[in-house]
Amino acid sequence: MDTSEPPPRRARTRTMIVVGLGVLSVFVVLLVVGIAPRLRNGRELVAAAQKAQTTPPNVYVIQPEAAGEADLSLAATTQAIPDAVIYARTSGYIRKRYVDIGDRVEAGQLLAEIDSPEIDQQLRQGQADLQQSERALDVQKASLELARTTLARYQAADAEGAVAKQALDQNAAAHQTAQATVAAAEANVNSNRANVQRLRELTAFQRVVAPFSGTVIQRNVDVGTLITAGSPTNNTAVAPSSVTGAANGLFEIAQVDALRVFVNVPQVYAGTLKVGLPVNVVVRGQVMTPVAARVSRTANALDPGTRTLLVQVDIPNTEHRLVPGMFVYVAFKVGPSGTHWRVPATAVVFNAQGTRVAIVGAGDKLHFQNVVLGRDFGTTIDIQAGLHGHERVVKQPTVSLQEGQVVTPLAPPNPAGS
């Protein structure tokens, strides 16, 4: 009975040993499979690093282009030529209004009438004062004539010794007093006459007329509006105009057959802008051909606050394609100004060593050349000094490039062929 138990135990032991050997074999296989690729990748990385250290880096090189004309587009707002805000020269109430926004008017056309009863009353009073002063002048002239006649009689009697000297002196003084009184009366008449003329001119201003032919682009009054001479009206019948920025008047009239824009040109371009330079005016978002215009005048001085030159461009607008207050872009053809070469903006390196470009020289060795920049057009930059035009300039240098490093210059890929 005791001799039959050991064989099963030995079988279990052999089974456990076989299972353990199997697990160990699987573990060894997995370990080998995981380590082998790592070792292979490590060897490849070491080889690649050694190759990178011994192989010159590839760089795209370009040759500087000769600087020529470039497009300069600046924003502006159109204004009418001329553009006038019409104010009242007399106080009162709007009695009649004859025009509204959008109406075409001719020079001298009646726009509105102002009722000014106070001015009318002042005119009547002034005319009465003038008549009164004229009558007073007539009285003083008659007194002067009497004094002159009396003095002549006393002088004749004095020649015969028939009157006392004192009586003669008294009549002479009376004659001089009459002359001064007449002069004062004449001055009073002239003063009243000038006052009447002033009031007549004020009554003439009751008729508001157009100073020139044009279009009514703003109307700020209506019948019954109270008007104060020379002051902006508070009535807002029409929204204030944004063309001139002036305070609201009665009306605003503009001629739209010709427009103008004022452009602030940066200092770096100011030297190339001359009177008569042709420009194109375009409206962003509208499908229309550019409107040809010209520079009509410049300020000939820079604004010290913005370092810009104020330039006026006159735009013919006989077809009325543009209107005052429109946001436009003015495109200038700017010629070179003290500039020799033009390179991509990516070729310029800005760091603590200064403004430089990377040049591939003899033996394909890299050299960082200091340059003096000109105008910046965004994608390209003008070089005023530092290049001669035959250099091979690295188009986009990286921070890893070093002075004297050997590189492999390549022509940049052609975007059209990609």
Side-chain angles (χ1 to χ4, degrees), residues 263-296:
V263 186
N264 292 308
V265 179
Q267 175 180 339
V268 68
Y269 309 108
T272 61
L273 296 183
K274 305 297 181 183
V275 175
L277 179 70
V279 300
N280 288 326
V281 179
V282 295
V283 180
R284 187 67 58 87
Q286 290 191 9
V287 181
M288 58 182 296
T289 57
V291 179
R294 289 186 178 274
V295 175
S296 60

Side-chain angles (χ1 to χ4, degrees), residues 126-138 188-189 192:
Q127 290 174 338
D129 293 339
L130 175 59
Q131 293 178 354
Q132 183 178 2
S133 62
E134 288 176 343
R135 300 291 81 78
L137 176 60
D138 293 338
N188 189 32
V189 169
N192 289 327

Side-chain angles (χ1 to χ4, degrees), residues 1-67:
M1 295 297 290
D2 298 334
T3 57
S4 60
E5 295 179 359
R9 292 179 179 178
R10 289 195 293 268
R12 287 196 300 270
T13 301
R14 287 195 298 269
T15 302
M16 293 178 62
I17 293 173
V18 171
V19 172
L21 291 175
V23 173
L24 181 61
S25 300
V26 172
F27 177 75
V28 171
V29 170
L30 293 177
L31 183 62
V32 172
V33 171
I35 292 177
R38 289 176 178 271
L39 295 176
R40 184 173 61 252
N41 291 338
R43 288 193 298 269
E44 291 177 354
L45 289 176
V46 171
Q50 292 176 351
K51 183 179 180 180
Q53 292 177 356
T54 58
T55 302
N58 296 331
V59 294
Y60 293 120
V61 295
I62 54 95
Q63 190 169 0
E65 299 179 357

Side-chain angles (χ1 to χ4, degrees), residues 156-241:
D158 180 65
E160 299 177 355
V163 294
K165 189 66 175 180
Q166 182 178 1
L168 178 62
D169 293 340
Q170 290 176 348
N171 283 276
H175 178 262
Q176 293 176 354
T177 301
Q179 287 179 327
T181 304
V182 169
E186 290 177 345
N188 189 32
V189 169
N190 293 333
S191 175
N192 289 327
R193 185 176 291 118
N195 185 48
V196 169
Q197 181 63 29
R198 179 183 65 84
L199 294 172
R200 285 175 178 171
E201 292 176 355
L202 286 178
T203 57
F205 290 136
Q206 292 175 347
R207 293 172 49 87
V208 181
V209 298
F212 52 81
S213 301
T215 303
V216 179
I217 64 173
Q218 183 179 186
R219 188 263 302 172
N220 298 308
V221 295
D222 213 331
V223 175
T225 303
L226 175 62
I227 301 300
T228 302
S231 298
T233 174
N234 293 327
N235 185 281
T236 55
V238 178
S241 172

Side-chain angles (χ1 to χ4, degrees), residues 348-349 354-357 359 369-373 383-387:
V348 182
V349 178
T355 305
R356 303 182 298 171
V357 295
I359 298 175
Q369 175 66 39
N370 291 325
V371 293
V372 177
L373 301 184
I383 304 297
Q384 291 183 327
L387 296 179

Side-chain angles (χ1 to χ4, degrees), residues 13 64 73 77 109 114 129-130 138 249 257 264 320 348 406 418:
T13 301
S73 182
T77 302
Q109 180 177 336
I114 301 176
D129 293 339
L130 175 59
D138 293 338
D257 294 337
N264 292 308
H320 297 176
V348 182
V406 177
S418 55

